[in-house]
Amino acid sequence: MSELDSYLVSDEAARQTESAAGRMLTPGAAIGAFRVVAFLGRGATSEVYRVRDDALKADFALKIFALDESCDRERERFIAEARLLAQFKSTHVVRVHGLTDDGAHPYFTMDLLRPIPDTPSRRQAEQIISGVLDALEELHSKGIIHRDIKPSNILLDVNGHTVVTDFGIAHISDNAPECMSAAMPRNMTIADGKAVAIGTPGYGAPEQFSCGDVSPATDIHAVGVLAQHLFGAHSPLKYRWLILRMTSSIPGLRYSSVKSVRKALRWLHVVGLAMWTMATIAIATTLVCGTLRLATPKRHELPLSSISSELIGDNVVTFFNLNDGRHYTMPKAMQRGYLANPYPRWKTLNGKWQPVPHRARLDIRGNGTLHCPKISGIEVKICSGVTLITSGICKPDGKWRKTALPPPDAQMNDTNYVGYAAYKIEPGGKLIFTDTDSYPQGLIEHLK
C-alpha cells in the first residue's frame, strides 16, 4: 500500500473528506493525471485541493473553476489568472505548472504552499510584510495591481519565503508589458460599460468599492491592514505611524509606491533607535540622580485610534479626540517635537519662490488637556472642554518673514505670516502658553 493509499484510509483523511462534503471533488477522486488528497479551501469562483501526481511522486495544489457553464465571464477570468501567473518566474509569486481548459470546469496546478501562522512572532510578521512588498514591487513594475492582498492569499514556501497567490481580480495597467496584457485583458473588470466594484471588504481600499481609479496605493492600503492583522494589538513603534498613513481612506495621502514605504521604514527604524538610545540615557540619569518627583498631573499618550482625518473642501482636517478629562501627550509615532503643516508652502510667482497662504487644520475635541511642545503653520480649533498647552515659540527664519512677529491685526491668510499657527477657541476651551512673550497674540481668534 502506497503512502497516499495509507493516508486515504486514515482518520485525518476522514476529517478532510467530511470538510469536503458538498464540494466538487473528494479525497481519493481522480482528475486528469492527479489523485485528490485533501480539500484546502474555496474562493468566490473556485476550489483548491491538494493532489498527487503518481508518475512524478509529487504533490501540488490544484485550483478548479467551481461555477456552472453559464458564468462565461468568470470562467474567462479564471483562465486568464493561470496564464498571467505563468508569465512570472519569481520567488514571491506562486508558480503555475499546467492548465487544462477544455471542459466546463477548467483547472490548473501550482506549487503546494503552506499558510502563514495565525499568530506570527514579530520577526515572522516583519519578514512576511517585507516579502509582500517585494512581490508588489515586481508586480507594480510590470503594471499589475493585485487588488486582493489579505492573509489567505499570502503563503509560505518550504524555505519560509513569502509567496503571493490568487490573481483572480488583478488589474492590468496601460503600461503593462504586452505579454501581461495578452494573458489578462485590461477590460476584465468592466461590465456593461461600467467599472465593477471588486475586492475584499476590510482589506480593499475605498476606491475599489466606489469604482475609482486604482494604483499602487491601492495595494499599499491592503498591506497596511495586513500589518495590523499580523502584529495584532501590539504593533511595533516604527510601524504605527506607517500603518496610519498606509491605510488612509484618501489615496493621495498614502505612500505612492513600495519604494516610498521602504524609505519610510528605514527612516522610522533610525528614529526608533535614536529614541531608544535617548530613553536609555534618561533612565540611567534617573537612576543616578534619584527618582524624579513631578508636580504635574500624570500624562497619557493619546492613542492613534483617537486620531482621524477627513478631506473637507480643499483642506485635510485632522481630529484629535480627548476623553475622560485626562492630560494627553502626542502619540510617540507622531512625535517630532511639534505639529507642523505637512503641505508645501511655496510656489513660483513671477519667477520667484513665494510662500502660499495655506494652513492645514487641526480640531481638538472631547474633554481633557493636550500637551504639545510646538505648533506652526496650522489652523487649530480648540473645542469646548479642551485645554491646549503649548510653548507658543515660533521663531522667524529670516528668509521670507518681513518682521519678527506679525502685527495684532494680521490675518490668518497673510502671506508674510503663513508659518505661524492660528487658533480658534470655542467658549469653554482654553489655550495656555508656556512662553507668552514671543508668541503673536494677534493671531488668536475667540469664537463668539
Side-chain angles (χ1 to χ4, degrees), residues 165-209:
T165 67
D166 198 344
F167 284 55
I169 61 172
H171 172 79
I172 309 298
S173 305
D174 293 336
N175 61 344
E178 185 177 350
C179 61
M180 302 295 175
S181 301
M184 180 176 284
R186 297 187 180 91
N187 64 351
M188 294 295 284
T189 55
I190 303 296
D192 299 325
K194 297 181 179 180
V196 177
I198 196 167
T200 300
Y203 284 87
E207 61 266 24
Q208 292 180 240
F209 304 102

Side-chain angles (χ1 to χ4, degrees), residues 36 38 47 172-173 176 191 205 218-219 229 289 307 321 375 382 423 440:
V36 178
E47 295 177 357
I172 309 298
S173 305
T218 303
D219 284 341
H229 169 81
C289 299
I307 303 173
N321 298 288
I375 300 177
I382 304 173
Y423 295 91

Side-chain angles (χ1 to χ4, degrees), residues 204-221:
E207 61 266 24
Q208 292 180 240
F209 304 102
S210 61
C211 302
D213 294 333
V214 297
S215 66
T218 303
D219 284 341
I220 288 171
H221 178 282

Side-chain angles (χ1 to χ4, degrees), residues 46 104 163 166 188 192 378-379 392 422 437:
S46 60
V163 180
D166 198 344
M188 294 295 284
D192 299 325
I378 293 180
E379 179 180 324
D437 293 333

